[in-house]
């Protein structure tokens, strides 16, 4: 799939709706899948745009003031079988703990690819820390090879 959407469904605190993440990185067979252009149609402060999500800098971050989904456009179909999220230097109440990862060849039809929305993920409390790798158990097996 060319497009991958990270859709937060719950944050660490139920009293905020602001999402904050330092990085999201994708892998296939333990090799980084690079070239993503991340964007969001939501509201974010200047300097805390979705572009920060792929720079590898734990001191930069994306802040979504309305917890809108983030779309990663790879410019070509890519295969993904795992990913990780790194916490930002922000307060941990803004960390995602539940989400869905969707994939699309065209941004019109989306396939639920990884569902982490049922049980809270053990997002690290430490700031600027990588969470454990998340292995994708593909809900649509044809997508494991890209599309």
């Amino acid at each position: 799939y060319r497009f991958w959407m990270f859709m937060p469904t719950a944050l660490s605190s139920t009293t905020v709706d602001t999402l904050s993440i330092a990085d999201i990185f994708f892998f296939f067979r333990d090799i980084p899948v690079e070239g993503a252009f991340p964007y969001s149609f939501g509201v974010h402060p200047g300097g805390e745009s979705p572009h920060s999500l792929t720079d590898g800098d734990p001191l930069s971050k994306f802040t979504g003031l309305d917890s809108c989904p983030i779309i990663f456009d790879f410019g070509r179909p890519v295969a993904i079988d795992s990913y990780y999220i790194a916490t930002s230097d922000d307060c941990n109440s803004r960390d995602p703990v539940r989400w869905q990862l969707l994939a699309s060849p065209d941004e019109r039809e989306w396939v639920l690819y990884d569902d982490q929305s049922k049980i809270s993920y053990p997002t690290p409390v430490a700031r600027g820390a990588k969470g454990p790798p998340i292995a994708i158990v593909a809900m649509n097996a044809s997508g494991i090879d890209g599309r």
Side-chain angles (χ1 to χ4, degrees), residues 77-111:
V78 297
I80 293 173
D81 63 6
S82 66
Y83 58 104
Y84 77 78
I85 298 170
T87 59
S88 72
D89 62 353
D90 217 329
C91 54
N92 64 355
S93 63
R94 297 178 172 183
D95 291 343
V97 294
R98 295 183 183 195
W99 60 84
Q100 293 178 326
L101 185 66
L102 296 94
S104 173
D106 57 12
E107 280 188 296
R108 289 188 296 271
E109 295 184 31
W110 292 91
V111 173

Side-chain angles (χ1 to χ4, degrees), residues 87 95-99 116 119-125 130-132 134:
T87 59
D95 291 343
V97 294
R98 295 183 183 195
W99 60 84
Q116 298 285 332
I119 299 172
S120 292
Y121 175 77
T123 306
V125 175
K130 292 180 189 176
I134 302 155

